[in-house]
Amino acid sequence: MAPASGPIGATALIILDMINLFDFEGGDRLGAQAVAICPPIARLRRRFDAAGAPVIHVNDNFARWQGQFGDLVMACAAAGGHAAAVVQRLSPRPHDYHVLKPKHSAFLATPLAILLAKLGVRRLVLTGVAADSCVLATAQDANMREYALWVPGDCVASITPARKRDALGILTRSLRAPVLATRSVPGLFPVEA
């Protein structure tokens, strides 16, 4: 089924790499941080649902070249721990979109740009993990493609607070992306001055 076209300038919520086994060095710490950001991401997702705006899960395929997004969700649910806790709170719903990516950026070697064009999206809200890796790489690629960005500081995580703080600094200084918390922005996107 082809996605419906949205209004020009529509906003999409991107949830990055939250469906994750956290089975790598530092994964336990990142998993704990991912669980902690589930509530604000879920609240933001409800705003997008109420507005009829698209929610897109973009996730690393973790080199599982023959699997589907649903396979990753099932593996995380079965793994228990942080992986299952995140799936329980933020699993993609039937009306959400989902894209698997092979590397850090949600744009690299994926159909994301085509999907966003079909939806009429020109503004992205980036959430998920890790702020200093996949979120930052995706933000840089989105900026090069001239998307407006918001990266809510309460909806991204890194292995350490310092790494998150450094990433948010780069986003604000280099990309001029607002990092206001969701409680500071009542709608789908910060009001531009």
Side-chain angles (χ1 to χ4, degrees):
M1 187 163 109
S5 293
I8 298 302
T11 304
L13 174 62
I14 307 291
I15 301 174
L16 279 164
D17 289 333
M18 291 295 285
I19 309 303
N20 197 316
L21 289 167
F22 303 108
D23 59 351
F24 46 84
E25 186 177 339
D28 190 54
R29 286 183 289 160
L30 184 59
Q33 296 302 313
V35 171
I37 64 171
C38 283
I41 294 174
R43 286 190 299 272
L44 190 56
R45 186 168 75 169
R46 285 191 293 273
R47 285 189 210 174
F48 275 74
D49 289 345
V55 173
I56 306 168
H57 290 260
V58 181
N59 228 95
D60 200 307
N61 71 358
F62 299 105
R64 295 175 186 213
W65 296 102
Q66 295 173 315
Q68 301 295 320
F69 206 99
D71 299 331
L72 180 58
V73 172
M74 288 189 307
C76 290
H82 300 310
V86 171
V87 164
Q88 182 181 17
R89 291 164 176 84
L90 284 180
S91 188
R93 292 92 38 99
H95 62 280
D96 291 340
Y97 298 94
H98 50 83
V99 172
L100 286 173
K101 63 184 179 69
K103 289 288 186 179
H104 302 84
S105 173
F107 287 96
L108 181 65
T110 76
L112 181 62
I114 296 168
L115 174 60
L116 295 173
K118 292 285 186 184
L119 295 170
V121 169
R122 294 303 314 151
R123 300 184 307 189
L124 301 177
V125 180
L126 301 181
T127 66
V129 297
D132 56 315
S133 181
C134 298
V135 174
L136 184 58
T138 298
Q140 289 171 322
D141 279 357
N143 183 61
M144 286 186 277
R145 289 165 173 80
E146 299 184 354
Y147 287 95
L149 292 173
W150 172 32
V151 182
D154 59 334
C155 292
V156 296
S158 292
I159 290 175
T160 68
R163 288 169 72 164
K164 175 180 169 177
R165 186 175 51 251
D166 291 347
L168 293 179
I170 292 169
L171 288 163
T172 57
R173 287 187 309 273
S174 298
L175 303 181
R176 301 199 190 291
V179 296
L180 301 164
T182 53
R183 66 184 174 279
S184 301
V185 178
L188 300 185
F189 205 80
V191 175
E192 296 176 15

